[in-house]
Amino acid sequence: MVSRVRVWLNRTYAENVFFMDQLRRNPSDRAVEIHATHGDADSPVLAAADTADLEPEGLSPAAYVEYALDQCQRRGIDVFVPRMEQAAIVAHRADFEAIGTALLAPTPEAVAVFEDKVIAYEAVQAIGVPVPPWYRVRSAGELVAAVEELEDAGHRACFKPASGAGGVGFRVITRSPFSLMHLSGFPTPYVQLDPVVEVLEQADETVDWLVMPRLEQPEVSVDCLTGPDNHLRMAIGRTKNGRRRGFTLHEQWLEPARRIAEGFGLHYLSNIQFRMFGDRPVLMDVNTRPAGGLHQLSLCGVNAPWAAVQLALGEDPGEVVPPFLGQDYTVVSGPRPLRAVSLPHQRIENTAEPLLPAVPAQADSVETTAPAAAAAEALPL
């Protein structure tokens, strides 16, 4: 009899409720039980899990590793998908393996390279992957100089933190004076240069920003699955052009993604993002974790989360090729259940700890996004 697989996702994005759904609906018909932890008691991943815990706040990286090892041992975790404190956790891979837990995460060296966008750009440039022009700035003077240089070359300048994820801190520089126009409609990422310069001049601390030209669409996120042997098992591009989404297997996107994933040890699931600079694709960002939109590959008949878990368990799924490319689609919000108590109840057979009372799943809900097919022609890339 094939045993169940116990998977843990720590402090992850709300969209990974779909990652969890796919694990349970795996094509091997294998029993999967999911443990989730988070700092927010209202995270939908807690409600979607079989067992769940609130994570302690304020732990140092070393203390978090100890917490993670304890979770894995007490919960009998077979595969751990770390997002929180990923760098510290992968540095202790041997400790997790010693208690029977496989880490679904890249090598420490890969995580270190892609934690800092400047180091990442320099590294991928060295292996021949194109990147946009960029400037590292830490002061108002450096910001103005970088913006003026980009504008003189005919580009619109933008900036983002040198380290970070999820588009946090991304802004587009504009010279337009602040006016009533900026107070109508929805907020935008545009910020006036003068107030930014003034804030930087008055700030007690320095910033660490990457200033670069605003890149053009389409944006293509290549979801990769790479084995610990550095051999790529899957590379599928998800295209974004405004609201329209689609899929691509064009080598202009897949070839540089393959070179990065295999060349830097991006083992298991990673996401490599490109946009257009002029008439050529350039690297925008590299995520050393599963993308929030990974589940959208199900529209191509691919269950990437399960293939990754198989690989982590030593059950090589072989090359993962989509049997077809799904039609263009968009994403819309939809409700997911929440628990009305501070922690979801635990499955009785999975824990010996005191149980919280079960509550109706429909008590609360939260909106997450899911793909919806749209009948339209695919855009040429």
Side-chain angles (χ1 to χ4, degrees), residues 52-150:
D53 285 320
L54 274 178
E55 291 191 1
E57 298 292 344
L59 294 181
S60 67
Y64 193 92
V65 170
E66 291 302 315
Y67 162 77
L69 285 165
D70 178 68
Q71 286 280 315
C72 289
Q73 194 149 34
R74 287 194 303 111
R75 298 289 187 175
I77 301 300
D78 299 301
V79 179
F80 176 20
V81 188
R83 191 196 71 83
M84 182 73 172
E85 296 292 1
Q86 187 190 62
I89 287 164
V90 296
H92 290 267
R93 189 182 300 270
D95 295 331
F96 287 92
E97 289 176 347
I99 60 173
T101 299
L103 296 183
L104 203 154
T107 64
E109 294 79 12
V111 174
V113 166
F114 295 107
E115 274 187 322
D116 185 302
K117 291 179 173 60
V118 170
I119 294 173
Y121 278 8
E122 290 173 341
V124 301
Q125 247 183 323
I127 64 168
V129 174
V131 301
W134 54 268
Y135 307 82
R136 190 170 206 159
V137 305
R138 293 186 171 91
S139 68
E142 290 177 348
L143 174 66
V144 171
V147 170
E148 288 180 346
E149 207 165 321
L150 287 170

XYZ file of all heavy atoms in Angstrom, residues 52-150:
753
model
N -2.980 23.032 10.920
C -2.434 24.376 10.802
C -1.980 24.891 12.159
O -2.485 24.476 13.199
C -3.473 25.319 10.212
N -1.010 25.779 12.118
C -0.521 26.462 13.320
C -0.272 27.922 12.990
O 0.092 28.260 11.860
C 0.807 25.858 13.804
C 0.632 24.514 14.494
O -0.341 24.356 15.252
O 1.469 23.624 14.249
N -0.440 28.793 13.989
C 0.029 30.167 13.865
C 1.531 30.186 14.106
O 2.014 29.550 15.041
C -0.666 31.072 14.879
C -2.016 31.661 14.485
C -2.577 32.479 15.629
C -1.882 32.529 13.240
N 2.246 30.927 13.272
C 3.687 31.013 13.452
C 4.038 32.044 14.525
O 3.407 33.101 14.607
C 4.370 31.415 12.134
C 4.306 30.349 11.077
C 5.211 30.652 9.886
O 5.899 31.693 9.916
O 5.223 29.850 8.940
N 5.050 31.760 15.331
C 5.513 32.757 16.298
C 6.152 33.936 15.580
O 6.768 33.773 14.532
C 6.539 31.990 17.137
C 6.990 30.872 16.263
C 5.823 30.507 15.392
N 5.985 35.126 16.141
C 6.561 36.325 15.545
C 7.914 36.636 16.178
O 8.192 36.250 17.311
C 5.615 37.522 15.731
C 4.267 37.360 15.050
C 4.357 37.375 13.531
O 5.400 37.802 12.992
O 3.388 36.955 12.878
N 8.741 37.368 15.449
C 9.973 37.898 15.996
C 11.113 36.919 16.121
O 12.103 37.207 16.810
N 11.021 35.765 15.457
C 12.109 34.793 15.538
C 13.279 35.229 14.658
O 13.084 35.714 13.547
C 11.639 33.413 15.089
C 10.578 32.707 15.952
C 10.274 31.340 15.363
C 11.026 32.584 17.394
N 14.491 35.019 15.157
C 15.669 35.221 14.314
C 15.698 34.109 13.264
O 15.021 33.077 13.416
C 16.937 35.153 15.159
O 17.112 33.827 15.660
N 16.474 34.275 12.186
C 16.576 33.179 11.204
C 16.971 31.849 11.832
O 16.399 30.799 11.496
C 17.632 33.686 10.233
C 17.511 35.175 10.284
C 17.188 35.490 11.709
N 17.936 31.876 12.753
C 18.379 30.626 13.392
C 17.252 30.019 14.222
O 17.042 28.795 14.209
C 19.606 30.888 14.268
N 16.512 30.868 14.946
C 15.405 30.368 15.759
C 14.279 29.839 14.879
O 13.603 28.866 15.233
C 14.890 31.474 16.677
N 14.088 30.474 13.717
C 13.050 29.985 12.807
C 13.402 28.607 12.272
O 12.524 27.754 12.101
C 12.815 30.970 11.659
C 11.553 30.660 10.890
C 10.345 31.259 11.237
C 11.551 29.752 9.843
C 9.167 30.959 10.556
C 10.394 29.438 9.161
C 9.205 30.046 9.517
O 8.047 29.720 8.849
N 14.667 28.369 11.997
C 15.094 27.040 11.536
C 14.773 25.996 12.603
O 14.268 24.908 12.291
C 16.595 27.028 11.199
C 17.083 25.604 10.949
C 16.869 27.893 9.962
N 15.029 26.315 13.861
C 14.718 25.381 14.942
C 13.210 25.132 15.010
O 12.767 23.995 15.205
C 15.217 25.933 16.285
C 16.733 25.971 16.405
C 17.351 24.587 16.218
O 16.826 23.615 16.799
O 18.353 24.477 15.482
N 12.439 26.196 14.853
C 10.979 26.063 14.825
C 10.550 25.151 13.663
O 9.688 24.272 13.824
C 10.347 27.450 14.678
C 8.915 27.440 14.217
C 7.869 27.133 15.084
C 8.601 27.756 12.883
C 6.546 27.123 14.643
C 7.288 27.753 12.446
C 6.261 27.441 13.325
O 4.962 27.428 12.884
N 11.161 25.349 12.487
C 10.799 24.563 11.309
C 11.159 23.091 11.492
O 10.390 22.193 11.126
C 11.481 25.134 10.066
N 12.329 22.823 12.054
C 12.723 21.440 12.301
C 11.756 20.766 13.266
O 11.384 19.600 13.081
C 14.150 21.396 12.857
C 15.273 21.652 11.842
C 16.584 21.954 12.557
C 15.440 20.453 10.909
N 11.327 21.500 14.276
C 10.369 20.948 15.240
C 9.034 20.653 14.572
O 8.423 19.599 14.819
C 10.183 21.927 16.395
C 9.167 21.429 17.415
O 9.464 20.423 18.096
O 8.078 22.026 17.512
N 8.560 21.576 13.722
C 7.305 21.347 12.991
C 7.403 20.085 12.137
O 6.491 19.255 12.128
C 6.985 22.560 12.109
C 6.496 23.778 12.844
C 5.023 23.692 13.201
O 4.178 23.314 12.382
N 4.692 24.036 14.431
N 8.505 19.951 11.423
C 8.666 18.802 10.527
C 8.689 17.491 11.299
O 8.086 16.495 10.874
C 9.951 18.952 9.703
S 9.861 20.235 8.443
N 9.364 17.489 12.430
C 9.470 16.258 13.206
C 8.136 15.907 13.862
O 7.689 14.761 13.799
C 10.554 16.406 14.266
C 10.974 15.094 14.896
C 12.429 15.102 15.312
O 12.970 16.132 15.716
N 13.087 13.958 15.238
N 7.484 16.897 14.470
C 6.224 16.630 15.172
C 5.098 16.281 14.211
O 4.234 15.461 14.532
C 5.801 17.844 16.016
C 6.635 18.059 17.269
C 5.977 19.037 18.217
N 5.715 20.343 17.605
C 4.499 20.812 17.321
N 3.417 20.083 17.553
N 4.344 22.007 16.792
N 5.111 16.905 13.028
C 4.022 16.708 12.073
C 4.315 15.615 11.056
O 3.468 15.324 10.209
C 3.745 18.021 11.337
C 3.291 19.157 12.235
C 1.896 18.917 12.749
N 1.362 20.067 13.478
C 0.133 20.138 13.946
N -0.699 19.123 13.765
N -0.280 21.198 14.600
N 5.491 15.028 11.101
C 5.826 13.962 10.158
C 5.854 14.440 8.725
O 5.324 13.783 7.819
N 6.485 15.594 8.486
C 6.491 16.218 7.159
C 7.439 15.477 6.222
O 8.613 15.278 6.529
C 6.891 17.698 7.261
C 5.928 18.466 8.181
C 6.948 18.340 5.876
C 4.483 18.450 7.740
N 6.917 15.089 5.065
C 7.737 14.458 4.027
C 8.394 15.498 3.125
O 9.565 15.354 2.752
C 6.884 13.520 3.169
C 6.261 12.402 3.980
O 7.020 11.636 4.601
O 5.024 12.306 3.997
N 7.628 16.524 2.745
C 8.123 17.556 1.834
C 7.753 18.923 2.401
O 6.583 19.203 2.670
C 7.526 17.401 0.420
C 8.044 18.508 -0.502
C 7.865 16.036 -0.166
N 8.760 19.778 2.570
C 8.583 21.124 3.109
C 8.828 22.116 1.982
O 9.858 22.089 1.320
C 9.567 21.322 4.265
C 9.581 22.699 4.896
C 8.526 23.592 4.762
C 10.687 23.101 5.645
C 8.564 24.855 5.353
C 10.735 24.350 6.239
C 9.676 25.226 6.092
N 7.839 23.009 1.743
C 7.938 24.047 0.705
C 8.148 25.383 1.417
O 7.180 26.055 1.768
C 6.677 24.097 -0.178
C 6.883 25.040 -1.367
C 6.277 22.708 -0.659
N 9.388 25.788 1.673
C 9.617 26.992 2.477
C 9.569 28.279 1.665
O 10.175 28.366 0.590
C 11.028 26.773 3.040
C 11.714 25.961 1.989
C 10.650 25.106 1.343
N 8.856 29.260 2.161
C 8.935 30.625 1.634
C 9.547 31.527 2.704
O 10.559 32.168 2.490
C 7.564 31.147 1.208
C 7.657 32.460 0.422
C 6.357 33.190 0.313
N 5.921 33.770 1.559
C 6.332 34.939 2.037
N 7.225 35.653 1.378
N 5.877 35.405 3.188
N 8.928 31.552 3.882
C 9.483 32.323 4.992
C 10.867 31.779 5.372
O 11.048 30.566 5.498
C 8.532 32.214 6.187
C 8.942 32.994 7.411
S 8.692 34.756 7.138
C 9.015 35.373 8.784
N 11.855 32.684 5.486
C 13.230 32.341 5.881
C 13.819 31.237 4.987
O 14.520 30.343 5.444
C 13.286 31.921 7.352
C 12.905 33.010 8.326
C 13.908 34.167 8.400
O 14.922 34.135 7.672
O 13.669 35.106 9.175
N 13.547 31.346 3.694
C 14.027 30.313 2.774
C 15.544 30.169 2.811
O 16.079 29.059 2.829
C 13.571 30.623 1.346
C 13.887 29.525 0.357
C 13.657 29.944 -1.085
O 14.292 30.863 -1.584
N 12.730 29.263 -1.753
N 16.272 31.292 2.859
C 17.732 31.236 2.820
C 18.294 30.485 4.019
O 19.198 29.648 3.884
C 18.305 32.653 2.766
N 17.761 30.767 5.207
C 18.250 30.093 6.415
C 17.901 28.613 6.396
O 18.700 27.763 6.819
C 17.671 30.762 7.658
N 16.734 28.291 5.882
C 16.277 26.901 5.881
C 17.113 26.051 4.923
O 17.565 24.957 5.282
C 14.780 26.844 5.535
C 13.963 27.353 6.729
C 14.348 25.429 5.159
C 12.539 27.696 6.410
N 17.359 26.541 3.702
C 18.095 25.710 2.744
C 19.548 25.514 3.168
O 20.191 24.538 2.751
C 18.019 26.281 1.313
C 16.591 26.277 0.806
C 18.621 27.684 1.223
N 20.053 26.405 4.003
C 21.414 26.227 4.517
C 21.500 25.046 5.486
O 22.595 24.573 5.787
C 21.886 27.504 5.207
N 20.342 24.578 5.946
C 20.289 23.456 6.891
C 19.596 22.241 6.265
O 18.980 21.452 6.972
C 19.564 23.885 8.172
C 20.331 24.860 8.997
N 21.157 24.472 10.022
C 20.412 26.211 8.927
C 21.715 25.549 10.564
N 21.289 26.619 9.915
N 19.732 22.098 4.949
C 19.074 20.994 4.250
C 19.409 19.638 4.878
O 18.543 18.783 5.041
C 19.464 20.999 2.773
C 18.662 20.020 1.912
C 19.142 20.043 0.474
N 19.002 21.348 -0.133
C 17.911 21.744 -0.781
N 16.868 20.941 -0.883
N 17.864 22.953 -1.328
N 20.669 19.442 5.242
C 21.084 18.154 5.816
C 20.348 17.856 7.123
O 20.029 16.699 7.407
C 22.595 18.145 6.047
N 20.072 18.898 7.917
C 19.352 18.693 9.175
C 17.919 18.233 8.914
O 17.382 17.393 9.650
C 19.343 19.982 10.000
C 20.734 20.396 10.455
O 21.584 19.505 10.631
O 20.967 21.605 10.624
N 17.301 18.776 7.878
C 15.942 18.352 7.535
C 15.957 16.932 6.958
O 15.079 16.125 7.282
C 15.308 19.345 6.559
C 14.924 20.648 7.196
C 15.795 21.726 7.206
C 13.688 20.800 7.800
C 15.447 22.921 7.810
C 13.322 21.991 8.405
C 14.211 23.054 8.411
N 16.929 16.644 6.118
C 17.026 15.288 5.561
C 17.227 14.259 6.668
O 16.719 13.135 6.578
C 18.179 15.225 4.564
C 17.907 15.986 3.266
C 19.096 15.989 2.327
O 20.209 15.622 2.777
O 18.922 16.370 1.148
N 17.944 14.632 7.718
C 18.215 13.705 8.819
C 16.953 13.296 9.559
O 16.903 12.220 10.163
C 19.215 14.333 9.797
N 15.911 14.133 9.511
C 14.645 13.765 10.172
C 13.597 13.307 9.151
O 12.414 13.194 9.463
C 14.094 14.930 11.025
C 13.818 16.174 10.173
C 15.052 15.257 12.165
C 13.116 17.291 10.933
N 14.053 13.079 7.894
C 13.160 12.520 6.876
C 12.351 13.524 6.094
O 11.366 13.152 5.448
N 12.755 14.794 6.098
C 12.020 15.837 5.371
C 12.836 16.323 4.186
O 13.993 16.727 4.339
C 11.710 17.036 6.292
O 10.905 16.604 7.384
C 10.963 18.125 5.532
N 12.238 16.290 3.000
C 12.870 16.826 1.797
C 12.451 18.281 1.626
O 11.276 18.624 1.816
C 12.456 16.020 0.570
N 13.403 19.146 1.284
C 13.106 20.557 1.032
C 12.827 20.767 -0.444
O 13.656 20.441 -1.293
C 14.271 21.443 1.457
C 14.638 21.469 2.937
C 15.768 22.462 3.176
C 13.431 21.812 3.801
N 11.666 21.322 -0.748
C 11.324 21.668 -2.117
C 11.778 23.113 -2.324
O 10.986 24.056 -2.267
C 9.824 21.492 -2.354
C 9.362 21.282 -3.798
C 8.044 20.516 -3.847
C 9.223 22.601 -4.517
N 13.084 23.274 -2.514
C 13.699 24.601 -2.585
C 15.070 24.486 -3.231
O 15.682 23.423 -3.207
C 13.816 25.203 -1.182
N 15.584 25.600 -3.781
C 16.885 25.561 -4.463
C 18.062 25.442 -3.498
O 17.890 25.365 -2.278
C 16.938 26.914 -5.190
C 15.557 27.460 -5.156
C 14.926 26.887 -3.933
N 19.255 25.474 -4.081
C 20.481 25.434 -3.301
C 20.680 26.758 -2.565
O 20.151 27.801 -2.980
C 21.695 25.210 -4.214
O 21.820 26.350 -5.095
C 21.540 23.949 -5.042
N 21.461 26.761 -1.471
C 21.759 28.033 -0.783
C 22.423 29.046 -1.708
O 22.155 30.250 -1.617
C 22.700 27.603 0.347
C 22.430 26.158 0.576
C 22.050 25.605 -0.774
N 23.284 28.568 -2.599
C 23.981 29.475 -3.510
C 23.000 30.178 -4.451
O 23.132 31.379 -4.722
C 25.021 28.696 -4.326
C 26.165 28.118 -3.510
C 25.811 26.839 -2.758
O 24.736 26.242 -3.042
O 26.609 26.438 -1.895
N 22.008 29.437 -4.942
C 21.020 30.032 -5.840
C 20.178 31.067 -5.118
O 19.902 32.152 -5.648
C 20.126 28.942 -6.430
N 19.755 30.751 -3.902
C 18.953 31.702 -3.131
C 19.752 32.976 -2.885
O 19.233 34.097 -3.013
C 18.496 31.073 -1.798
C 17.798 32.113 -0.930
C 17.552 29.894 -2.066
N 21.038 32.846 -2.555
C 21.877 34.015 -2.274
C 22.029 34.900 -3.511
O 21.975 36.133 -3.414
C 23.249 33.565 -1.776
N 22.214 34.298 -4.682
C 22.383 35.080 -5.913
C 21.145 35.911 -6.195
O 21.235 37.103 -6.531
C 22.689 34.162 -7.117
C 22.531 34.918 -8.441
C 24.093 33.592 -7.010
N 19.954 35.328 -6.036
C 18.742 35.999 -6.483
C 18.022 36.759 -5.377
O 16.966 37.343 -5.623
C 17.826 34.990 -7.178
C 18.432 34.451 -8.438
C 18.923 33.155 -8.501
C 18.567 35.259 -9.543
C 19.517 32.666 -9.651
C 19.165 34.785 -10.713
C 19.637 33.491 -10.762
N 18.607 36.801 -4.183
C 18.058 37.676 -3.138
C 18.340 39.141 -3.453
O 17.576 40.017 -3.062
C 18.679 37.330 -1.775
C 17.970 36.218 -1.043
C 18.514 36.028 0.362
O 19.736 36.151 0.568
O 17.706 35.736 1.264
N 19.425 39.413 -4.130
C 19.828 40.783 -4.469
C 19.780 40.933 -5.987
O 20.483 40.237 -6.721
C 21.245 41.044 -3.950
C 21.684 42.489 -4.149
O 21.683 42.960 -5.303
O 22.032 43.142 -3.145
N 18.943 41.865 -6.464
C 18.726 41.988 -7.907
C 19.977 42.448 -8.649
O 20.172 42.110 -9.822
C 17.549 42.929 -8.165
C 16.208 42.355 -7.732
C 15.072 43.324 -7.971
C 13.720 42.666 -7.688
N 13.587 42.189 -6.314
N 20.827 43.234 -7.993
C 22.060 43.665 -8.648
C 22.994 42.485 -8.852
O 23.537 42.274 -9.951
C 22.750 44.773 -7.828
C 24.143 45.055 -8.374
C 21.912 46.049 -7.857
N 23.189 41.689 -7.808
C 24.016 40.489 -7.934
C 23.427 39.563 -8.991
O 24.151 38.973 -9.810
C 24.133 39.769 -6.579
C 24.897 40.647 -5.580
C 24.816 38.412 -6.730
C 24.922 40.090 -4.171
N 22.102 39.446 -8.999
C 21.436 38.575 -9.968
C 21.677 39.052 -11.397
O 22.012 38.258 -12.287
C 19.937 38.526 -9.670
N 21.501 40.358 -11.641
C 21.704 40.878 -12.985
C 23.136 40.676 -13.453
O 23.395 40.313 -14.606
C 21.325 42.362 -13.037
C 19.841 42.627 -13.208
C 18.913 41.594 -13.142
C 19.370 43.907 -13.450
C 17.560 41.834 -13.303
C 18.010 44.165 -13.611
C 17.115 43.125 -13.537
O 15.778 43.359 -13.701
N 24.092 40.926 -12.561
C 25.496 40.732 -12.932
C 25.788 39.263 -13.235
O 26.513 38.944 -14.189
C 26.394 41.224 -11.795
C 26.389 42.736 -11.620
C 27.162 43.189 -10.385
O 27.397 42.347 -9.483
O 27.518 44.378 -10.329
N 25.182 38.363 -12.449
C 25.434 36.931 -12.624
C 24.840 36.405 -13.923
O 25.492 35.644 -14.656
C 24.885 36.150 -11.433
N 23.606 36.786 -14.229
C 22.983 36.259 -15.450
C 23.592 36.895 -16.694
O 23.689 36.249 -17.750
C 21.447 36.413 -15.438
C 20.837 35.689 -14.253
C 21.035 37.871 -15.454
N 24.035 38.150 -16.579
C 24.727 38.780 -17.702
C 25.998 38.006 -18.056
O 26.347 37.857 -19.228
C 25.105 40.221 -17.327
C 24.371 41.269 -18.130
C 24.831 42.668 -17.780
O 25.117 42.989 -16.632
N 24.881 43.516 -18.784
N 26.664 37.498 -17.033
C 27.921 36.780 -17.236
C 27.725 35.483 -18.003
O 28.682 34.967 -18.607
C 28.581 36.497 -15.890
N 26.489 34.929 -18.000
C 26.238 33.700 -18.765
C 25.473 33.991 -20.052
O 24.928 33.087 -20.686
C 25.506 32.633 -17.919
C 24.109 33.102 -17.506
C 26.324 32.242 -16.707
C 23.232 31.993 -16.932
N 25.401 35.278 -20.419
C 24.846 35.639 -21.719
C 23.362 35.904 -21.765
O 22.792 36.006 -22.859
N 22.694 36.056 -20.607
C 21.261 36.379 -20.603
C 21.115 37.901 -20.591
O 21.679 38.573 -19.721
C 20.556 35.765 -19.379
C 19.104 36.235 -19.309
C 20.624 34.241 -19.440
N 20.367 38.479 -21.540
C 20.232 39.940 -21.599
C 19.470 40.503 -20.397
O 18.493 39.906 -19.933
C 19.444 40.181 -22.889
C 19.439 38.900 -23.628
C 19.663 37.810 -22.641
N 19.930 41.652 -19.905
C 19.251 42.371 -18.827
C 19.081 43.817 -19.276
O 19.814 44.293 -20.148
C 20.033 42.298 -17.505
C 20.217 40.864 -17.057
C 21.371 43.009 -17.611
N 18.153 44.556 -18.685
C 17.998 45.970 -19.049
C 19.108 46.808 -18.428
O 19.799 46.354 -17.511
C 16.640 46.325 -18.432
C 16.509 45.403 -17.269
C 17.162 44.116 -17.691
N 19.296 48.045 -18.897
C 20.214 48.952 -18.198
C 19.711 49.154 -16.765
O 18.504 49.217 -16.530
C 20.116 50.262 -19.001
C 19.464 49.901 -20.288
C 18.635 48.697 -20.039
N 20.613 49.253 -15.813
C 20.207 49.431 -14.424
C 21.257 50.229 -13.673
O 22.425 50.278 -14.048
C 19.976 48.085 -13.737
C 21.143 47.147 -13.836
C 21.354 46.211 -14.804
C 22.273 47.086 -12.969
N 22.547 45.568 -14.601
C 23.142 46.082 -13.489
C 22.661 47.771 -11.811
C 24.345 45.744 -12.877
C 23.864 47.438 -11.195
C 24.689 46.434 -11.728
N 20.794 50.887 -12.622
C 21.655 51.692 -11.763
C 21.275 51.404 -10.314
O 20.090 51.444 -9.960
C 21.463 53.193 -12.027
C 21.609 53.592 -13.476
C 20.535 53.434 -14.367
C 22.798 54.124 -13.957
C 20.662 53.798 -15.698
C 22.925 54.493 -15.296
C 21.855 54.324 -16.156
O 21.981 54.679 -17.477
N 22.272 51.143 -9.493
C 22.005 50.977 -8.063
C 22.133 52.353 -7.412
O 23.169 53.016 -7.564
C 22.985 50.001 -7.432
C 22.597 49.607 -6.013
C 23.434 48.460 -5.500
N 22.716 47.705 -4.483
C 22.997 46.458 -4.136
N 23.984 45.815 -4.746
N 22.304 45.837 -3.215
N 21.095 52.794 -6.699
C 21.127 54.121 -6.085
C 20.853 54.018 -4.588
O 20.048 53.197 -4.145
C 20.121 55.085 -6.745
C 20.339 55.162 -8.251
C 18.687 54.685 -6.449
N 21.529 54.880 -3.840
C 21.356 54.925 -2.386
C 21.146 56.349 -1.880
O 21.044 56.562 -0.669
C 22.573 54.294 -1.695
C 22.727 52.801 -1.935
C 23.858 52.231 -1.092
N 23.899 50.786 -1.130
C 24.606 50.071 -2.002
N 25.311 50.690 -2.943
N 24.617 48.756 -1.957
N 21.092 57.311 -2.784
C 20.951 58.713 -2.369
C 20.142 59.477 -3.399
O 19.927 59.011 -4.522
C 22.333 59.358 -2.214
O 22.961 59.475 -3.480
N 19.733 60.699 -3.002
C 18.957 61.543 -3.909
C 19.765 61.899 -5.148
O 19.248 61.885 -6.274
C 18.519 62.810 -3.175
N 21.052 62.227 -4.959
C 21.893 62.585 -6.101
C 22.037 61.452 -7.090
O 21.977 61.663 -8.313
N 22.230 60.242 -6.581
C 22.354 59.081 -7.468
C 21.050 58.812 -8.198
O 21.060 58.426 -9.378
C 22.776 57.855 -6.661
C 24.211 57.921 -6.143
C 24.573 56.726 -5.285
O 23.669 55.949 -4.885
O 25.772 56.560 -4.998
N 19.918 59.038 -7.528
C 18.616 58.838 -8.173
C 18.437 59.810 -9.329
O 18.068 59.408 -10.443
C 17.486 59.016 -7.154
C 16.070 58.976 -7.745
C 15.750 57.596 -8.314
C 15.027 59.384 -6.708
N 18.706 61.093 -9.080
C 18.526 62.100 -10.126
C 19.435 61.802 -11.318
O 19.011 61.877 -12.477
C 18.805 63.505 -9.567
C 18.833 64.544 -10.697
C 17.738 63.886 -8.541
N 20.679 61.436 -11.040
C 21.616 61.142 -12.126
C 21.142 59.962 -12.965
O 21.206 59.990 -14.204
C 23.005 60.862 -11.547
N 20.639 58.914 -12.308
C 20.174 57.729 -13.038
C 18.936 58.050 -13.858
O 18.821 57.645 -15.022
C 19.868 56.608 -12.043
N 17.994 58.793 -13.270
C 16.768 59.146 -13.984
C 17.088 60.003 -15.205
O 16.558 59.780 -16.309
C 15.783 59.878 -13.042
C 14.617 60.471 -13.834
C 15.265 58.931 -11.977
N 17.974 60.990 -15.035
C 18.309 61.868 -16.158
C 19.001 61.096 -17.280
O 18.737 61.344 -18.465
C 19.197 63.007 -15.661
C 18.425 64.019 -14.825
C 19.305 65.151 -14.326
O 20.545 65.021 -14.409
O 18.739 66.158 -13.847
N 19.848 60.155 -16.913
C 20.533 59.371 -17.942
C 19.543 58.522 -18.738
O 19.639 58.416 -19.964
C 21.600 58.487 -17.286
C 22.743 58.154 -18.214
C 23.961 57.605 -17.487
O 24.269 58.098 -16.393
O 24.575 56.664 -18.032
N 18.585 57.919 -18.040
C 17.576 57.109 -18.728
C 16.667 57.971 -19.589
O 16.334 57.613 -20.717
C 16.755 56.325 -17.700
C 17.477 55.147 -17.041
C 16.659 54.590 -15.870
C 17.738 54.033 -18.051
